[in-house]
């Protein structure tokens, strides 16, 4: 059984999708701790409902970002966390946490990286006018959304999409691929070579999406 620690800042719908997979017996993992940097994060309500331990750690109480991340690291280590999940955690992770969990921190980003990193990936994509966007689960390094890609999923984008409509379309896939990436990790199927993530026993389907569709 894989011990997870989850970091979140807000709504926590990705956190919920992981809880659901575990409770349905589809993911052999246990969430040891939720850490939030925002006392009003709705993720806290989800933790309470599912009897998951949670901690609010106030970044303002630390004299440096490294100290804040050192505290987070200590709390995760104290609970024997093996994989750290960033589920809408709105901060760039600093060295103390990355060094303690090398290639053992996963993040979900609402765009097809390396396109549209940072905040509002969905708005960036619709403003740019791309025809296909999506979401990416990746391991976390010191950059912003730059670590090795684990899974991506694509959706069509309409010129009439707003940030809200595109976000909703992408979110549905986020809830599928984040638990799937954790499952691959839990099953020991992921390895990182350079910046490429290899997946054991994964067969590529030679398919494509075209948007607008070909006639
Ligand atoms: C998601 O869109 C995720 O891709 C991004 O932050 C959002 C978090 O949503 N990193 P939620 O808190 O999981 O509902």
């Amino acid at each position: 059984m894989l011990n997870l620690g989850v970091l979140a800042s807000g709504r926590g719908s990705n956190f919920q999708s992981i809880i659901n997979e575990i409770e349905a017996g589809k993911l052999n993992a246990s969430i040891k701790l939720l850490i939030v940097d925002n006392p009003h994060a709705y993720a806290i309500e989800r933790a309470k409902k599912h009897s998951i331990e949670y901690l609010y750690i106030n970044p303002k109480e630390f004299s440096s970002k490294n100290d804040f991340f050192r505290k987070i690291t200590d709390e995760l280590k104290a609970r024997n966390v093996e994989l750290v999940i960033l589920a809408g955690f709105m901060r760039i992770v600093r060295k103390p946490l990355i060094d303690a969990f090398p290639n053992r921190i996963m993040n979900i980003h609402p765009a097809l990286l390396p396109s549209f990193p940072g905040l509002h990936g969905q708005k960036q994509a619709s403003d740019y006018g791309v025809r296909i966007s999506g979401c990416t689960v990746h391991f976390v390094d010191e950059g912003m959304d730059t670590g090795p890609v684990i899974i991506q999923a694509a959706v069509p984008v309409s010129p009439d999409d707003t940030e809200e409509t595109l976000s909703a379309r992408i979110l549905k896939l986020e809830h599928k691929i984040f638990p799937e990436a954790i499952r691959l990790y839990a099953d020991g199927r992921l390895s990182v070579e350079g910046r490429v993530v290899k997946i054991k026993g994964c067969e590529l389907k030679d398919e494509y999406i075209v948007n607008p569709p070909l006639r």
Side-chain angles (χ1 to χ4, degrees):
M1 166 112 55
L2 180 70
N3 287 344
L4 303 177
V6 177
L7 273 52
S9 301
R11 175 177 67 176
S13 70
N14 278 287
F15 173 45
Q16 185 71 52
S17 73
I18 297 162
I19 294 172
N20 294 349
E21 290 284 296
I22 292 173
E23 291 187 351
K26 293 183 193 159
L27 177 57
N28 188 20
S30 160
I31 302 174
K32 294 294 169 195
L33 180 65
L34 167 74
I35 296 178
V36 293
D37 60 353
N38 161 19
H40 307 295
Y42 187 70
I44 294 173
E45 305 310 315
R46 302 182 193 269
K48 283 185 190 162
K49 192 165 169 216
H50 295 271
S51 306
I52 293 167
E53 188 192 356
Y54 68 91
L55 262 185
Y56 162 51
I57 304 182
N58 183 352
K60 293 197 182 112
E61 283 174 12
F62 297 84
S63 53
S64 70
K65 293 190 166 117
N66 276 354
D67 282 352
F68 171 65
F69 280 99
R70 224 165 265 132
K71 169 73 173 163
I72 291 177
T73 304
D74 291 346
E75 297 293 350
L76 295 169
K77 288 277 178 194
R79 287 154 185 90
N80 299 317
V81 164
E82 297 162 289
L83 181 69
V84 182
I85 303 300
L86 307 186
F89 184 65
M90 307 309 282
R91 285 173 194 277
I92 296 179
V93 171
R94 300 287 163 148
K95 212 168 158 30
L97 183 60
I98 291 169
D99 287 352
F101 292 92
N103 285 332
R104 289 198 286 135
I105 308 172
M106 283 185 190
N107 181 46
I108 182 127
H109 181 74
L112 292 176
L113 292 172
S115 291
F116 314 125
L119 292 175
H120 304 292
Q122 307 96 326
K123 181 171 180 349
Q124 291 183 55
S126 61
D127 287 353
Y128 194 94
V130 292
R131 291 285 182 250
I132 295 171
S133 192
C135 46
T136 304
V137 181
H138 63 94
F139 285 119
V140 173
D141 62 13
E142 278 182 75
M144 187 166 59
D145 302 321
T146 51
V149 169
I150 303 165
I151 303 192
Q152 296 188 302
V155 298
V157 183
S158 155
D160 300 325
D161 267 321
T162 62
E163 183 178 8
E164 288 68 35
T165 57
L166 180 57
S167 297
R169 193 173 308 126
I170 292 173
L171 192 65
K172 282 192 209 157
L173 281 173
E174 293 186 33
H175 296 162
K176 290 185 195 297
I177 68 169
F178 213 176
E180 179 63 19
I182 299 167
R183 190 159 33 238
L184 290 170
Y185 184 96
D187 291 348
R189 291 175 62 191
L190 300 182
S191 59
V192 184
E193 292 177 22
R195 62 156 299 116
V196 175
V197 177
K198 304 270 173 168
I199 307 178
K200 241 183 260 159
C202 174
E203 229 173 86
L204 184 80
K205 285 190 191 149
D206 201 358
E207 290 170 347
Y208 54 83
I209 1 171
V210 181
N211 178 36
L214 301 174
R215 288 197 292 156

